[in-house]
């Protein structure tokens, strides 16, 4: 469809390029013919007068003609002559607007933009409906409600974003399945896709039930640097040894290495190897900062397969995601590992509290400086008498404060 759209756009530009010069040439030719007719008529009149002069005339027959010729006044045209002089045949050519290549290009671009928007939006809706038909039965088996209703309904937010929220599954509070499709309706995205290719993405965000403290991440090796932007992973987890049978395109990060074998079972590793081209990352943390009300969050990001693979590949990916929810919830740490992860979280909590306290002190100090600056500005605007009164008032205030401290010391040592 996009190739056809691009071909149509180029064809329209070519047509406008061919037609526009011909339209302009027609106008120029018509004007040129009118001017040539006027010049030819004037030349003929000049030739006739020259011939009459050459022929001459009999002086006896035209006696007194020279005197009449000298006394002849210059011709002054009347209003009727002025009106008749501007006859249609001698009128100046009117500058008519020309429909050129630039205008045709604007209209062609607008038409192509609207056509691409319509068909791109329809293509995204078709892909979203295909995903919904594939996932509907699986999600109904595992969840009881969808957006507060028992009816499965995919919500459309714009031309390329769709989602469905699910609740009622064991081992989790709820899940949000979000489809972020290509901007097929956007003509500029069609061209930028050649520079920065994009994919149709499915993001599954699961609010987990409170479980034991640990974090876990499986990401593509080329996307490992993105974990630095996730404090819930970068501040706790380190790279851990992955199962030997797992493809080397994935790396594993966790703060509890013993959960790796619990989550990455033999079947899970096999699924990750088979569907590696579609899986982007799997991240779980009990210290998530994405939502204030949910600390235990599981996030799975994957590419949506083409329509011809939707029924098989997408269904397997959803089954794998549902299995990960149960695996994370059922993971249990040994006492040494549990003590280690709890100590790590306690350390981060104390560091965060200290950082918050320092931030509050900085804010209080800044406010104090701002108040002093305002008071100094007011003091500078006072008269000498007002400044003396203000100084006396401040002196009494400081003496009162010192006297209060002195009494407190006496009471302490009484």
């Amino acid at each position: 469809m996009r190739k056809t759209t691009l071909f149509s756009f180029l064809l329209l530009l070519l047509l406008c390029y061919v037609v526009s010069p011909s339209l302009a040439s027609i106008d120029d030719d018509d004007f040129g013919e009118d001017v040539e007719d006027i010049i030819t008529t004037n030349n003929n009149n000049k030739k006739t007068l020259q011939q009459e002069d050459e022929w001459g005339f009999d002086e006896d027959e035209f006696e007194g003609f020279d005197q009449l010729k000298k006394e002849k006044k210059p011709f002054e045209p009347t209003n009727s002559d002025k009106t008749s002089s501007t006859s249609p045949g001698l009128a100046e050519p009117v500058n008519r607007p020309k429909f050129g290549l630039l205008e045709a290009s604007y209209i062609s671009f607008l038409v192509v933009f609207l056509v691409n928007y319509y068909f791109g939006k329809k293509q995204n809706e078709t892909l979203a409906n295909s995903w919904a038909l594939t996932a509907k039965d699986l999600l109904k088996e595992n969840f009881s409600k969808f957006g507060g209703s028992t009816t499965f309904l995919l919500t459309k937010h714009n031309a390329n974003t769709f989602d469905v929220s699910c609740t009622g599954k064991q081992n989790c509070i709820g899940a949000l399945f979000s489809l972020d499709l290509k901007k097929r309706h956007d003509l500029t995205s069609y061209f930028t896709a050649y520079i920065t290719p994009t994919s149709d993405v499915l993001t599954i965000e699961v609010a987990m039930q409170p479980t034991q403290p640990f974090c876990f991440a499986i990401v593509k090796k080329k996307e490992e640097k993105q974990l630095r932007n996730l404090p819930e992973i970068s501040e706790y987890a380190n790279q851990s040894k992955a199962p030997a049978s797992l493809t080397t395109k994935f790396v594993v990060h966790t703060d509890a290495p013993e959960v790796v074998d619990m989550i990455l079972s033999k079947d899970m590793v096999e699924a990750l190897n088979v569907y590696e081209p579609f899986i982007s990352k799997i991240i779980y943390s009990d210290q998530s900062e994405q939502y204030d009300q949910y600390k235990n969050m599981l996030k799975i990001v994957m590419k949506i397969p083409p329509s011809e693979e939707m029924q098989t590949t997408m269904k397997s990916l959803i089954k794998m995601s549902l299995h990960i929810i149960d695996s994370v919830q059922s993971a249990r740490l040994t006492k040494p590992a549990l003590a280690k992860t709890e100590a790590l979280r306690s350390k981060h909590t104390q560091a965060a509290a200290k950082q918050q306290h320092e931030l509050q002190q900085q804010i209080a100090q800044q406010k104090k400086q701002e108040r002093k600056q305002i008071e100094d500005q007011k003091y500078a605007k006072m008269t000498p008498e007002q400044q003396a009164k203000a100084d006396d008032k401040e002196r009494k205030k400081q003496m009162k404060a010192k006297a209060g401290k002195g009494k407190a010391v006496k009471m302490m040592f009484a």
Side-chain angles (χ1 to χ4, degrees):
M1 191 277 294
R2 289 192 168 187
K3 291 183 179 179
T4 305
T5 303
L6 183 60
F7 176 78
S8 302
F9 177 68
L10 295 176
L11 183 61
L12 285 171
L13 287 179
L14 180 61
L15 180 62
C16 295
Y17 180 79
V18 174
V19 173
S20 178
S22 62
L23 292 174
S25 63
I26 290 174
D27 296 336
D28 294 337
D29 293 340
D30 291 343
F31 174 72
E33 290 176 0
D34 293 340
V35 174
E36 288 178 1
D37 291 341
I38 296 171
I39 294 173
T40 304
T41 303
N42 292 336
N43 290 337
N44 291 335
N45 292 335
K46 288 181 180 179
K47 288 180 180 180
T48 303
L49 293 174
Q50 290 176 359
Q51 290 176 357
E52 290 179 357
D53 292 336
E54 291 174 359
W55 292 342
F57 52 86
D58 190 353
E59 294 182 359
D60 296 336
E61 185 176 354
F62 296 93
E63 186 177 354
F65 180 79
D66 292 337
Q67 186 65 25
L68 180 63
K69 189 175 181 180
K70 292 179 181 180
E71 296 177 355
K72 186 177 180 180
K73 296 181 180 181
F75 174 73
E76 295 181 1
T78 61
N79 293 334
S80 60
D81 295 332
K82 292 179 180 180
T83 305
S84 62
S85 64
T86 58
S87 60
L90 300 178
E92 294 183 359
V94 180
N95 293 329
R96 291 173 289 180
K98 298 179 181 180
F99 187 77
L101 179 61
L102 185 60
E103 291 80 359
S105 301
Y106 289 155
I107 296 175
S108 302
F109 179 81
L110 179 61
V111 171
V112 173
F113 179 85
L114 294 176
V115 171
N116 182 80
Y117 180 87
Y118 176 78
F119 285 102
K121 182 169 68 72
K122 286 293 182 183
Q123 190 174 358
N124 278 346
E125 290 176 354
T126 302
L127 183 60
N129 290 331
S130 177
W131 178 88
L133 291 174
T134 303
K136 180 179 179 180
D137 293 337
L138 279 173
L139 296 182
K140 278 192 170 184
E141 292 175 2
N142 290 269
F143 297 91
S144 59
K145 289 186 178 181
F146 307 93
S149 174
T150 56
T151 304
F152 183 87
L153 181 63
L154 190 65
T155 303
K156 177 182 176 182
H157 294 279
N158 52 49
N160 66 299
T161 305
F162 306 79
D163 66 27
V164 56
S165 60
C166 311
T167 56
K169 175 179 169 54
Q170 189 179 5
N171 295 331
C172 74
I173 299 172
L176 179 66
F177 292 77
S178 303
L179 303 177
D180 187 12
L181 307 181
K182 296 179 183 178
K183 295 183 178 180
R184 295 177 173 87
H185 61 288
D186 187 358
L187 188 60
T188 56
S189 298
Y190 172 80
F191 295 101
T192 56
Y194 290 101
I195 303 173
T196 55
T198 57
S199 304
D200 298 314
V201 178
L202 169 64
T203 302
I204 307 174
E205 295 174 301
V206 186
M208 302 290 294
Q209 297 285 357
T211 182
Q212 293 189 322
F214 70 91
C215 59
F216 177 83
I218 306 174
V219 296
K220 291 288 184 64
K221 185 175 292 186
K222 59 182 180 181
E223 299 178 2
E224 186 178 7
K225 292 182 179 180
Q226 296 180 5
L227 294 177
R228 298 174 184 174
N229 301 325
L230 300 175
E232 61 268 29
I233 298 296
S234 60
E235 294 181 1
Y236 297 93
N238 296 312
Q239 186 171 352
S240 180
K241 184 179 179 181
S245 56
L246 182 66
T247 175
T248 56
K249 293 183 179 181
F250 287 111
V251 292
V252 178
H253 285 246
T254 182
D255 58 347
E258 60 186 38
V259 302
V260 174
D261 293 332
M262 299 178 188
I263 298 175
L264 297 181
S265 60
K266 183 178 179 181
D267 294 338
M268 182 58 63
V269 170
E270 184 178 352
L272 289 172
N273 292 336
V274 172
Y275 300 108
E276 173 270 327
F278 301 100
I279 301 170
S280 178
K281 54 189 172 183
I282 302 170
I283 297 174
Y284 168 76
S285 177
D286 66 316
Q287 300 294 317
S288 177
E289 299 180 357
Q290 186 173 0
Y291 300 100
D292 294 335
Q293 65 271 36
Y294 303 119
K295 285 294 184 181
N296 299 72
M297 289 294 300
L298 171 65
K299 186 175 183 179
I300 304 172
V301 181
M302 61 184 70
K303 296 179 181 179
I304 299 176
S307 300
E308 57 271 14
E309 300 181 27
M310 188 69 73
Q311 289 294 329
T312 55
T313 304
M314 193 72 249
K315 190 170 290 188
S316 299
L317 289 171
I318 294 175
K319 287 181 179 179
M320 182 196 71
S321 302
L322 297 173
H323 179 73
I324 292 175
I325 295 174
D326 298 331
S327 298
V328 169
Q329 188 66 37
S330 60
R332 292 293 180 268
L333 302 178
T334 60
K335 287 185 178 181
L338 183 60
K340 179 182 176 182
T341 56
E342 287 179 342
L344 183 61
R345 278 148 183 77
S346 178
K347 180 180 177 181
H348 279 278
T349 301
Q350 293 175 2
K354 182 179 179 181
Q355 185 178 3
Q356 184 67 21
H357 178 67
E358 292 176 353
L359 180 61
Q360 290 177 352
Q361 284 185 332
Q362 291 177 0
I363 295 174
Q365 185 68 22
Q366 185 178 359
K367 289 182 178 179
K368 184 178 179 181
Q369 291 177 356
E370 291 175 356
R371 285 195 301 267
K372 189 176 185 306
Q373 186 177 2
I374 294 172
E375 291 175 356
D376 291 342
Q377 291 176 356
K378 289 182 179 180
Y379 185 83
K381 295 178 181 179
M382 292 180 181
T383 61
E385 293 79 6
Q386 291 174 337
Q387 289 179 355
K389 288 182 180 180
D391 292 340
D392 186 59
K393 184 178 180 180
E394 182 66 23
R395 192 182 306 108
K396 289 179 179 180
K397 185 178 178 180
Q398 292 178 359
M399 291 176 63
K400 187 176 180 180
K402 290 180 180 179
K405 290 181 179 178
K407 288 179 181 179
V409 171
K410 289 180 180 179
M411 289 174 66
M412 290 175 62
F413 291 98

